[in-house]
Amino acid sequence: MLSITINVPVAHLPLLHAVAKDVPLQAAHLQANVLQPFAVTKVLEAFVTDSKMIVEGEDVKPVHDITLSCEHDTGYRFWPGDTIGILSYNTDSDVEYILDRLNLKSQCDTVRNVGIDQHTTKKGAKIPMYVPSVINYRRLFKECLDLHAVPKKLLIRSLTSHTTDENDRRFLEILCSKEGNSTYEKIVLQNGMGIISLLQLVPSCRPTVAVLLAHLPRLMPRPYSIANAYQEGASVAVRFLFSHDVNHPGITTTYLRGLEKGAKVYFYFRQSSAFVYKDSDLKRNIIMVGTGTGMSPYLSFLELRANALARGETIGRAELFVGFRYRERNYLCREEIKEYLEGGALDVCYEAFSRDTDTRHKYVQSLLADKCAQIVDNIRNPHALFYVCGDSKVLLPQITKTVTDILAEASPESETDFKAFIGELKKDGKYREDVWL
C-alpha cells in the first residue's frame, strides 16, 4: 500500500445500543407508525387484489400493473394526478449478508429495546425517528435502513475502528480522508456503491449494529402515480404501473415484483401537487404528455372523464401525446386507450415510437412540434390545461424547450421571453408537471 500522510476524520463513540427485551414486536411494517414524507394520511394496510405483467421481452423494460385494495374506509378522497408512497423492504439476501457479516445470525430474531449509549460523544444524540424503540435485528435491516445508499465518509471512518487487517483499514482511511477525495469519488460515488459492496472490498471489517444504525440512512418509501379514479361508495382501490431495469432493479421494484395476489402492502396517500386533475377541471380542454409509464396517471384522468360522461356531464377536449419504444411490443394499455377514444373520454391520441423504423415520429417532442397549432391554442386558451409527466433531468426540460420554441415560432414579432412565460404558466397552475426525480 502506498505510504502517504492522510488526515482521517475524528470518529464519535457509538451512538446507540440495543438491549434484549421481553416485549412483543409490532406485526406491521416497522415504519408504519412513523411520519412519512409528504403524507396526508397515516400508513394504511392494503392487499394486492390484481397483479399482472403487461409488458416484457427483449429490449423493453418489463412493466407491471398492480391494484391494492383496503378493507376499511381510509377517510381520504384522492384525485387523478395524486400519488401514493409504498413502504419498502430490503431483499432477504441483502439482509442475510449483513446479519452474517455482523455475526448476528444466532440473535437476529431476539426482540430488543433501542436506546442511546451513555458513553456516546455525540452532542444532542437521539434515536432516528424512523427506528422504533422496539426492534429485532432482522427487521431493523429489512425495513428501516437503506442498505444501498452510498456510504458517507463518517460511516467509512467508523468502519476503520472495526477492521483488523492493516491493508483493509488503510484503504478505508484513504477513502474517508480529505486526501482521498478522488479515490472516494472513483470507487464509491461513480459506482453508486452501497454498504454491502463496500464491505465486500474489506473482508476483515465487521462493524457493530450501533455503527450501521447510527450512519445508514432511512429506507425511504417509493412514490407511485395513481392510475385509477376514486369511486364514491366503493371500497378504496388504488392502481399503479411500474417498470424495472432487469440488470439494475431498484429496492422497491424488486419487492413489488415478488408480490402475489393477497399479499399485504403498507402505503399512504401523499400530498396533492399542481399536477392534480379534479371535477372542476372537467370542462377545460387538456393536453396530456407522457412517455412509458409516464402515461399511467392519465388513465385516472380518462376514467374520471368517462365517469362524468356516464353521468351526462359536458367535458372539454382531451388530447394525449404518448411515446414508447415499439408500437407492437410495449404500447402500454393500448386497448384501454382505444376504449376511451371510442367512448369519447379521449378525443385523440398521438403516438411516437423511438425504436420502430417505419414510424414518422420517434419522440413526443416531434409530435408536439408537428401539432404546433393545437399546442399554441392550448397555451393561449385561459381555460385550457397542459400536463407533462416524466423525469426532471431529461423529458420535462425537453418538453418545456419544445413548447417554448413552438410559441416563439408562432409569434416571431413578439419580444416575449417565452421561457419566462412558461415559468409563469407553471406558477399559475396552467402548465402542470408530474416530476420524477
Side-chain angles (χ1 to χ4, degrees):
M1 182 78 66
L2 181 63
S3 177
I4 58 173
T5 300
I6 57 176
N7 296 297
V8 178
V10 176
H12 292 291
L13 289 175
L15 169 64
L16 304 166
H17 70 155
V19 180
K21 199 81 171 178
D22 187 20
V23 294
L25 185 62
Q26 68 182 51
H29 193 291
L30 286 184
Q31 292 197 52
N33 297 318
V34 174
L35 180 65
Q36 302 298 330
F38 307 105
V40 290
T41 68
K42 64 180 182 180
V43 173
L44 305 166
E45 183 180 280
F47 296 88
V48 177
T49 50
D50 192 23
S51 177
K52 54 182 176 287
M53 183 180 290
I54 58 176
V55 168
E56 62 179 326
E58 184 180 354
D59 195 31
V60 296
K61 286 184 178 181
V63 178
H64 302 255
D65 188 337
I66 290 182
T67 299
L68 306 177
S69 295
C70 296
E71 293 183 341
H72 306 289
D73 183 13
T74 65
Y76 183 73
R77 200 267 192 241
F78 63 87
W79 293 99
D82 277 340
T83 57
I84 58 171
I86 292 183
L87 274 58
S88 191
Y89 298 85
N90 286 306
T91 64
D92 288 337
S93 60
D94 284 345
V95 173
E96 289 299 317
Y97 178 88
I98 291 293
L99 293 174
D100 183 61
R101 190 62 181 268
L102 274 58
N103 291 322
L104 296 174
K105 282 290 193 72
S106 63
Q107 50 183 312
C108 64
D109 296 313
T110 300
V111 178
R112 299 175 182 276
N113 183 262
V114 178
I116 301 296
D117 192 312
Q118 62 180 345
H119 301 297
T120 185
T121 56
K122 186 172 183 179
K123 295 182 180 180
K126 59 182 179 180
I127 300 172
M129 53 91 70
Y130 51 86
V131 177
S133 59
V134 179
I135 54 102
N136 67 33
Y137 291 145
R138 182 185 301 280
R139 291 187 60 189
L140 171 71
F141 289 116
K142 190 170 182 66
E143 302 170 29
C144 298
L145 305 179
D146 189 344
L147 302 182
H148 289 270
V150 174
K152 294 185 177 180
K153 288 193 174 186
L154 282 179
L155 169 55
I156 298 174
R157 172 62 182 91
S158 297
L159 295 179
T160 65
S161 302
H162 302 275
T163 305
T164 56
D165 181 82
E166 183 179 348
N167 287 333
D168 286 350
R169 186 167 57 253
R170 183 63 171 174
F171 172 67
L172 292 174
E173 288 174 345
I174 291 173
L175 285 182
C176 69
S177 69
K178 181 178 180 180
E179 293 77 7
N181 282 344
S182 60
T183 303
Y184 174 78
E185 181 175 343
K186 181 178 180 180
I187 294 177
V188 180
L189 293 183
Q190 292 182 6
N191 293 315
M193 180 178 289
I195 185 63
I196 291 177
S197 298
L198 180 59
L199 290 175
Q200 289 171 340
L201 294 180
V202 283
S204 69
C205 179
R206 290 187 181 274
T208 64
V209 175
V211 167
L212 297 188
L213 205 160
H215 290 283
L216 287 180
R218 176 182 184 176
L219 179 58
M220 298 295 288
R222 173 76 161 82
Y224 291 92
S225 296
I226 299 174
N228 65 294
Y230 179 86
Q231 300 292 336
E232 294 284 354
S235 59
V236 174
V238 176
R239 175 192 180 194
F240 63 96
L241 275 59
F242 72 92
S243 63
H244 71 272
D245 186 330
V246 176
N247 297 318
H248 304 284
I251 295 173
T252 309
T253 54
T254 298
Y255 157 61
L256 292 173
R257 281 190 301 144
L259 295 178
E260 298 180 350
K261 287 185 179 180
K264 187 180 297 183
V265 176
Y266 293 93
F267 82 99
Y268 63 96
F269 289 99
R270 302 171 83 242
Q271 297 170 9
S272 294
S273 70
F275 191 76
V276 73
Y277 180 69
K278 295 187 174 184
D279 285 344
S280 56
D281 299 318
L282 284 169
K283 292 185 178 180
R284 299 186 177 194
N285 294 343
I286 61 171
I287 285 179
M288 302 166 284
V289 183
T291 62
T293 52
M295 56 74 64
S296 63
Y298 301 131
L299 298 175
S300 64
F301 288 42
L302 296 174
E303 184 176 349
L304 185 73
R305 290 169 59 83
N307 292 341
L309 285 176
R311 296 192 299 267
E313 297 181 17
T314 300
I315 60 176
R317 179 176 175 81
E319 301 177 54
L320 178 62
F321 290 75
V322 294
F324 306 104
R325 288 189 176 184
Y326 301 99
R327 179 185 295 274
E328 300 300 331
R329 294 170 51 195
N330 74 320
Y331 193 142
L332 302 184
C333 306
R334 187 175 184 176
E335 291 303 314
E336 202 168 336
I337 291 175
K338 182 180 178 181
E339 290 178 5
Y340 286 127
L341 284 167
E342 293 174 347
L346 178 63
D347 292 280
V348 63
C349 180
Y350 301 112
E351 307 155 338
F353 304 100
S354 62
R355 303 290 175 88
D356 282 342
T357 58
D358 59 346
T359 183
R360 180 182 175 190
H361 297 286
K362 291 188 175 295
Y363 303 102
V364 289
Q365 297 91 314
S366 172
L367 282 173
L368 293 171
D370 187 57
K371 304 299 178 183
C372 57
Q374 289 97 309
I375 304 304
V376 172
D377 287 345
N378 177 277
I379 297 299
R380 288 177 175 172
N381 183 342
H383 303 293
L385 298 171
F386 189 89
Y387 289 88
V388 187
C389 179
D391 68 277
S392 61
K393 293 182 179 180
V394 181
L395 183 66
L396 296 187
Q398 291 178 350
I399 298 301
T400 297
K401 183 181 184 307
T402 299
V403 174
T404 300
D405 291 344
I406 288 171
L407 292 174
E409 187 173 343
S411 306
E413 304 302 322
S414 175
E415 296 182 2
T416 302
D417 181 346
F418 287 107
K419 186 175 182 180
F421 176 63
I422 295 297
E424 290 300 317
L425 293 178
K426 293 178 182 180
K427 290 180 181 179
D428 294 341
K430 177 180 174 58
Y431 189 116
R432 303 180 179 183
E433 294 176 307
D434 188 13
V435 181
W436 301 350
L437 299 177

